[in-house]
Amino acid sequence: MLTGYGTISTAAAAIKAGAMDYLAKPANVEDVETALLADPTKKVYPPKDSMSADRIKWEHIHRVFELCNRNVSETARRLKMHRRTLQRILSKRSPR
């Protein structure tokens, strides 16, 4: 699977649905070629440039925010954090 916006939740859903590989754009030619020509019986190793812990946290916060229909107060309650703290996190750009 090749996606323009890769998240942990979409990756998990794709794998559960039967995807053998999950690539997020921008993917270079070598990554796509490796995914297409890979032997499906061999073990897949994690990518060399995996997401940072800050990026994973940011993805989780935004996923819960979307599940709460972009309601800041409800999201803050579910994440057990102060509403203003959540607003500051949501206003920042995503970490790499």
Side-chain angles (χ1 to χ4, degrees), residues 58 61-62 65 72 85-93:
W58 187 86
I61 289 171
H62 278 269
F65 184 56
V72 175
T85 303
L86 176 61
Q87 286 176 318
R88 280 194 290 281
I89 292 170
L90 293 172
S91 69
K92 294 182 180 179
R93 290 182 179 237

Side-chain angles (χ1 to χ4, degrees), residues 1-6 22-28:
M1 171 172 238
L2 181 63
T3 181
Y5 182 71
Y22 184 87
L23 300 172
K25 290 181 182 176
N28 60 28

Side-chain angles (χ1 to χ4, degrees), residues 10-24:
T10 58
I15 298 300
K16 286 179 184 176
M20 300 289 282
D21 292 297
Y22 184 87
L23 300 172

Side-chain angles (χ1 to χ4, degrees), residues 46-76:
K48 294 177 186 172
D49 55 344
S50 60
M51 287 193 289
S52 67
D54 289 335
R55 175 66 186 207
I56 293 171
K57 177 182 172 184
W58 187 86
E59 291 279 346
H60 175 67
I61 289 171
H62 278 269
R63 183 175 56 84
V64 174
F65 184 56
E66 291 298 325
L67 289 173
C68 293
N69 296 321
R70 303 179 67 82
N71 182 320
V72 175
S73 297
E74 178 62 25
T75 305

